[in-house]
């Protein structure tokens, strides 16, 4: 009997040691990749203090850059925040882990209008994080002229060398398509040819293609920038109102950015913890106040300071938003945009 007890004790010791070793082998780190100027660093510090999980942050400037990093096989990304149509592409390329919603209780806080989107109707692989528009930011100290829409951007010789465009094929092409009254998802060769001609014509006036526009505007590197709303509104705040964000009268793009977990993630539980934390009310309110991204939770807006609640650039009217479209995955027709972009960048 005593031999049996010794044997049992040894077995339990070995089993316990194996469990502890397995626990130690799970990395206490999450590699988060997101857009520039699109994260509240204080929130990440709070998450680290609460969970003991360190968050390593990396940045990308476009959805295409994110995809390229992952396809290169050396990204090491665990959690990312791609835009709507990119979730479709990532699913097709089998890049994503399914999200276990049982581990995301804060999913219940999300406004229903942002769930069950066409790119992931069952929210099997993604959960909404923030939304934004793309429009025009103007440093009024450098340019005092009238700008109402894309025509004022693309056809204005006064902006020679004072203009920046987003370094993003779909966004830049979308702006040119909207100027001509076409859909941002057009695959009609004649419409794309008109957009391409407009981009070729404006390129000599473009000082830079840059997706991080906050610094360029504040340092007066450019007078007018094609910009994401979150960047533009951060610049508005930092400049004391000297910078203005304009929603183009022709319309533009509206993006819904989403939290996803990449295949190969070594800390699945930690990834779920981070996503659930970022979807808490406190975190979402802090995110909107800091980053000026559109909130996805039901009650975030009413928790914001009154001046932010009333900000019509952050919260456009229904009529304004009706002219903005979501970019969708075009499948094989994406090659049309790639060829156009190569022509624009090389010419």
């Amino acid at each position: 009997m005593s031999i049996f007890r010794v044997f049992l004790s040894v077995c339990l010791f070995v089993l316990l040691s194996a469990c502890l070793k397995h626990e130690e082998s799970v990395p206490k780190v999450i590699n988060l990749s997101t857009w520039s100027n699109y994260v509240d660093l204080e929130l990440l510090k709070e998450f680290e203090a609460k969970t003991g999980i360190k968050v390593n942050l990396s940045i990308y400037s476009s959805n295409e850059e994110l995809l390229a990093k992952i396809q290169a096989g050396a990204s090491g990304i665990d959690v990312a925040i791609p835009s709507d149509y990119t979730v479709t592409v990532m699913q097709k390329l089998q890049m994503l882990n399914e999200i276990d919603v049982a581990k995301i209780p804060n999913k219940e806080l999300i406004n229903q209008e942002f769930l069950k989107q066409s790119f992931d109707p069952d929210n099997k692989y993604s959960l909404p994080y923030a939304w934004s528009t793309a429009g025009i930011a103007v440093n009024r100290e450098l340019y005092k002229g009238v700008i109402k829409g894309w025509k004022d951007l693309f056809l204005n010789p006064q902006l020679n060398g004072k203009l920046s465009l987003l370094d993003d094929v779909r966004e830049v092409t979308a702006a040119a398509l909207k100027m001509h009254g076409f859909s941002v998802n057009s695959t009609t060769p004649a419409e794309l040819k008109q957009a391409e001609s407009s981009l070729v014509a404006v390129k000599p006036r473009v000082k830079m293609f840059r997706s991080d526009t906050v610094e360029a505007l504040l340092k007066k590197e450019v007078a007018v920038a094609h910009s994401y709303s979150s960047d533009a509104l951060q610049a508005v705040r930092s400049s004391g109102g000297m910078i203005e964000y304009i929603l183009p009268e022709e319309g533009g793009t509206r993006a819904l950015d989403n939290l996803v977990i990449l295949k190969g993630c070594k800390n699945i539980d930690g990834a779920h913890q981070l996503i659930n934390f970022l979807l808490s009310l406190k975190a979402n309110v802090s995110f909107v106040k800091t980053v000026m991204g559109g909130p996805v939770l039901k009650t975030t807006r009413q928790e914001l300071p009154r001046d932010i609640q009333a900000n019509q650039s952050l919260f456009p009217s229904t009529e304004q938003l009706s002219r903005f479209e979501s970019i969708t995955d075009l499948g094989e027709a994406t090659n049309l945009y790639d060829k156009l972009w190569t022509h624009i960048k090389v010419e």
Side-chain angles (χ1 to χ4, degrees):
M1 192 69 175
S2 61
I3 294 175
F4 175 74
R5 287 177 179 170
V6 170
F7 175 74
L8 184 61
S9 298
V10 170
C11 289
L12 289 172
F13 176 77
V14 171
L15 182 61
L16 180 60
S17 297
C19 290
L20 289 172
K21 188 173 182 180
H22 173 71
E23 186 176 330
E24 289 172 0
S25 69
V26 176
K28 285 287 189 177
V29 63
I30 289 293
N31 298 311
L32 170 66
S33 194
T34 185
W35 303 82
S36 58
N37 307 308
Y38 210 54
V39 68
D40 182 348
L41 296 178
E42 293 303 313
L43 276 180
L44 297 186
K45 290 179 183 177
E46 183 178 331
F47 174 78
E48 290 176 341
K50 182 177 291 188
T51 64
I53 300 172
K54 178 171 174 53
V55 180
N56 292 327
L57 187 66
S58 64
I59 301 299
Y60 50 86
S61 61
S62 69
N63 287 294
E64 288 67 31
E65 182 183 339
L66 170 64
L67 289 171
K69 283 183 176 181
I70 298 169
Q71 288 176 307
S75 69
I77 298 170
D78 298 316
V79 176
I81 310 181
S83 302
D84 24 43
Y85 71 99
T86 312
V87 175
T88 305
V89 177
M90 296 173 89
Q91 284 179 246
K92 288 180 179 178
L93 295 174
Q94 298 184 334
M95 293 178 171
L96 302 179
N97 262 319
E98 290 187 24
I99 292 178
D100 184 352
V101 293
K103 295 180 179 179
I104 314 289
N106 286 334
K107 177 180 180 289
E108 300 303 314
L109 303 178
I110 298 173
N111 192 321
Q112 291 296 311
E113 72 171 286
F114 299 115
L115 294 170
K116 299 182 179 180
Q117 300 292 310
S118 59
F119 55 84
D120 188 10
D122 297 318
N123 289 107
K124 192 174 180 180
Y125 299 98
S126 65
L127 287 172
Y129 179 58
W131 59 268
S132 63
T133 56
I136 304 167
V138 185
N139 188 316
R140 285 305 184 184
E141 195 172 294
L142 300 178
Y143 184 73
K144 303 185 187 303
V146 174
I147 292 187
K148 293 183 178 180
W150 299 118
K151 289 180 181 178
D152 300 317
L153 188 79
F154 283 98
L155 306 178
N156 190 346
Q158 295 180 37
L159 296 179
N160 285 352
K162 302 176 181 178
L163 170 66
S164 72
L165 296 180
L166 290 171
D167 193 11
D168 186 305
V169 52
R170 294 298 303 273
E171 290 288 1
V172 168
T173 310
L177 285 166
K178 274 295 186 183
M179 182 181 75
H180 291 289
F182 305 137
S183 168
V184 302
N185 298 303
S186 175
T187 57
T188 304
E191 295 178 355
L192 286 170
K193 190 64 180 176
Q194 285 191 57
E196 182 177 353
S197 296
S198 296
L199 292 172
V200 168
V202 77
K203 187 182 175 184
R205 293 198 287 277
V206 176
K207 184 174 182 179
M208 63 181 79
F209 287 89
R210 182 169 175 174
S211 294
D212 171 10
T213 54
V214 177
E215 187 176 357
L217 287 163
L218 293 176
K219 289 188 174 181
K220 302 180 182 179
E221 295 175 21
V222 294
V224 179
H226 179 198
S227 179
Y228 297 116
S229 56
S230 56
D231 276 3
L233 294 174
Q234 288 176 51
V236 170
R237 180 179 56 205
S238 297
S239 70
M242 183 58 68
I243 291 166
E244 178 185 5
Y245 178 60
I246 297 163
L247 292 159
E249 59 185 2
E250 306 98 331
T253 62
R254 182 187 183 188
L256 179 62
D257 295 322
N258 306 269
L259 292 154
V260 299
I261 301 174
L262 276 293
K263 279 192 174 175
C265 173
K266 293 181 174 60
N267 188 355
I268 296 294
D269 284 341
H272 281 87
Q273 286 183 63
L274 177 61
I275 290 174
N276 191 59
F277 174 81
L278 292 174
L279 291 176
S280 66
L281 179 59
K282 179 182 177 183
N284 199 230
V285 169
S286 181
F287 168 81
V288 177
K289 288 167 65 176
T290 304
V291 177
M292 299 298 284
V296 297
L297 302 189
K298 300 170 188 174
T299 59
T300 299
R301 187 172 181 178
Q302 66 194 49
E303 299 294 330
L304 295 167
R306 289 188 179 181
D307 62 319
I308 297 181
Q309 288 188 47
N311 189 319
Q312 294 180 3
S313 295
L314 177 59
F315 296 106
S317 68
T318 302
E319 189 273 330
Q320 284 177 307
L321 282 179
S322 68
R323 298 191 292 273
F324 283 70
E325 297 178 73
S326 296
I327 294 175
T328 60
D329 173 42
L330 300 175
E332 292 183 3
T334 301
N335 289 330
L336 297 172
Y337 284 77
D338 293 338
K339 290 177 182 178
L340 179 154
W341 193 237
T342 299
H343 182 206
I344 299 302
K345 282 298 196 78
V346 172
E347 285 293 315

